[in-house]
Amino acid sequence: MQFMFKKRDNIKEIEEGKYLSPKFDENGLIPVVTTDFQTGGILMHGYMNDEALKKTIETKKAHYWSRSRKKIWLKGQVSGFVQIVKEIRIDDDQDSVWLSVDIGNGASCHVGYRSCFYRSIPLGKIDDGKKIEMKFEEKEKKFDPEKVYKGQPNPTKI
Amino acid sequence: MQFMFKKRDNIKEIEEGKYLSPKFDENGLIPVVTTDFQTGGILMHGYMNDEALKKTIETKKAHYWSRSRKKIWLKGQVSGFVQIVKEIRIDDDQDSVWLSVDIGNGASCHVGYRSCFYRSIPLGKIDDGKKIEMKFEEKEKKFDPEKVYKGQPNPTKI
């Protein structure tokens, strides 16, 4: 792919201009938030490198950079749950990306839930020495990860 | 604040357990996506350290870690646009946070727009050598940043 991102050389242009000039961090990555086009809820938080962002724009299928596998990753390549991109936005200083995607009746989380954000944190004062107990907001998995990802390493790291 | 996050020592517990055990990166930060409780849209993408996350949980007001100012930051302290937290969720491997907040008729972006994600990126094949021209999805600023942030440095970096 030969199209270019504009060089970042002027803060006013970055914030108020029309040209895409994303900022990749010291590892060459930009954080990406992916929301569900149907429900508006957040499905996942990931990262892209330059190539993944360009591929996503051109193919309208979400590509990420897998930090655990250290490679470009077409979301859904193993599970079949491809994310069809409906809209991409970038923020004021162009250092984070928002994808809105259509996943049909599928799922986005390798644990099996529709969204990776299936647990909520209680709010308010917590007693000294207490651990925080979360609540499951999704009760049923959309698929069985042991079948779908059979033989694949778990991306979660301690 | 004396309450504790659970130690991360078991992947199954991190993914499927009920205890909050967030993963902070090598800089002690966790990425945070903040959505608008009223519209569902993304307002901003930021970072928290351990203390900012605890303060947010206990006070129900969003606190972030400012990477440019290198300090904890009660969102709205200067602008008055405090974010009242309605819900907090965490993802499967507990390395990113989702806040849903109420900002009333206010704004979240230091440039003056309601959301930091006020520009969309066109999708599809881009001609060789072309730069990408974005579209403004928000047309009117909610406030004048030169008045509200008078004398403050711009957090955007090249």
Side-chain angles (χ1 to χ4, degrees):
Chain A
M1 267 166 278
Q2 299 302 313
F3 73 90
M4 303 294 288
F5 297 135
K6 188 173 183 312
K7 186 165 179 287
R8 293 170 67 88
D9 48 19
N10 177 306
I11 287 175
K12 181 90 181 164
E13 272 185 23
I14 291 166
E15 289 184 343
E16 309 259 14
K18 65 183 180 182
Y19 288 111
L20 181 60
S21 45
K23 183 174 194 169
F24 297 93
D25 68 14
E26 63 279 12
N27 298 311
L29 303 179
I30 190 166
V32 180
V33 188
T34 304
T35 61
D36 185 331
F37 166 71
Q38 294 171 70
T39 67
I42 299 183
L43 293 170
M44 55 181 280
H45 180 283
Y47 295 86
M48 289 177 177
N49 65 356
D50 179 293
E51 186 190 351
L53 178 54
K54 286 178 176 167
K55 281 196 164 158
T56 300
I57 291 169
E58 289 213 331
T59 67
K60 303 181 197 179
K61 289 176 184 168
H63 291 70
Y64 300 91
W65 176 261
S66 167
R67 293 179 303 165
S68 55
R69 288 175 285 156
K70 298 188 177 23
K71 63 176 187 179
I72 292 253
W73 159 48
L74 167 62
K75 176 73 183 171
Q77 197 158 27
V78 172
S79 67
F81 298 128
V82 171
Q83 299 176 337
I84 304 299
V85 178
K86 307 301 280 188
E87 189 176 37
I88 311 183
R89 294 199 190 187
I90 199 157
D91 73 340
D92 44 18
D93 54 354
Q94 303 204 30
D95 71 352
S96 59
V97 171
W98 169 13
L99 294 189
S100 174
V101 302
D102 188 351
I103 59 166
N105 190 33
S108 278
C109 177
H110 76 279
V111 176
Y113 296 103
R114 183 169 175 94
S115 162
C116 294
F117 293 83
Y118 47 83
R119 289 169 295 186
S120 64
I121 298 169
L123 298 172
K125 184 84 186 108
I126 309 288
D127 291 338
D128 284 6
K130 272 271 194 183
K131 290 190 184 70
I132 294 187
E133 287 190 32
M134 299 187 286
K135 180 180 163 199
F136 277 73
E137 301 288 346
E138 287 191 46
K139 312 282 184 194
E140 292 204 6
K141 294 192 181 185
K142 302 287 286 182
F143 66 91
D144 179 349
E146 295 196 7
K147 282 185 189 149
V148 168
Y149 293 113
K150 199 173 174 179
Q152 304 273 332
N154 187 326
T156 296
K157 304 293 174 209
I158 283 180
Chain B
M1 268 166 278
Q2 299 302 314
F3 74 91
M4 303 294 288
F5 296 134
K6 188 173 185 310
K7 186 163 177 289
R8 292 170 68 89
D9 48 19
N10 177 307
I11 287 175
K12 182 88 181 167
E13 271 186 22
I14 292 167
E15 288 184 345
E16 309 258 15
K18 64 183 180 181
Y19 288 111
L20 181 61
S21 45
K23 183 175 191 167
F24 297 93
D25 69 13
E26 64 277 13
N27 298 312
L29 303 179
I30 190 167
V32 180
V33 188
T34 304
T35 61
D36 185 330
F37 165 71
Q38 294 171 69
T39 68
I42 299 182
L43 292 170
M44 56 181 279
H45 180 283
Y47 295 87
M48 289 178 177
N49 66 355
D50 179 293
E51 184 189 352
L53 179 54
K54 286 178 175 167
K55 280 196 165 159
T56 300
I57 291 170
E58 289 212 331
T59 66
K60 303 182 198 179
K61 290 176 184 168
H63 291 70
Y64 299 92
W65 176 260
S66 167
R67 293 178 303 166
S68 56
R69 287 175 285 157
K70 297 188 176 26
K71 63 177 189 180
I72 293 251
W73 159 48
L74 166 62
K75 177 74 182 169
Q77 198 158 27
V78 173
S79 67
F81 297 128
V82 171
Q83 297 177 336
I84 304 299
V85 179
K86 307 300 281 188
E87 189 175 36
I88 310 182
R89 293 200 191 187
I90 199 157
D91 72 341
D92 45 17
D93 56 352
Q94 303 204 30
D95 70 352
S96 59
V97 171
W98 169 13
L99 294 189
S100 175
V101 302
D102 188 351
I103 58 166
N105 190 33
S108 277
C109 177
H110 76 279
V111 177
Y113 296 104
R114 183 169 175 95
S115 162
C116 293
F117 293 84
Y118 47 84
R119 288 169 296 186
S120 65
I121 299 169
L123 298 171
K125 184 83 185 107
I126 310 288
D127 291 338
D128 285 5
K130 273 272 195 181
K131 291 190 184 71
I132 294 187
E133 286 189 33
M134 299 188 285
K135 180 181 163 198
F136 277 74
E137 301 289 346
E138 288 191 44
K139 313 282 183 196
E140 293 204 6
K141 294 193 181 184
K142 302 286 285 184
F143 66 91
D144 179 350
E146 295 196 8
K147 282 185 190 150
V148 168
Y149 294 114
K150 200 174 175 181
Q152 304 273 332
N154 188 325
T156 296
K157 306 292 175 211
I158 283 182

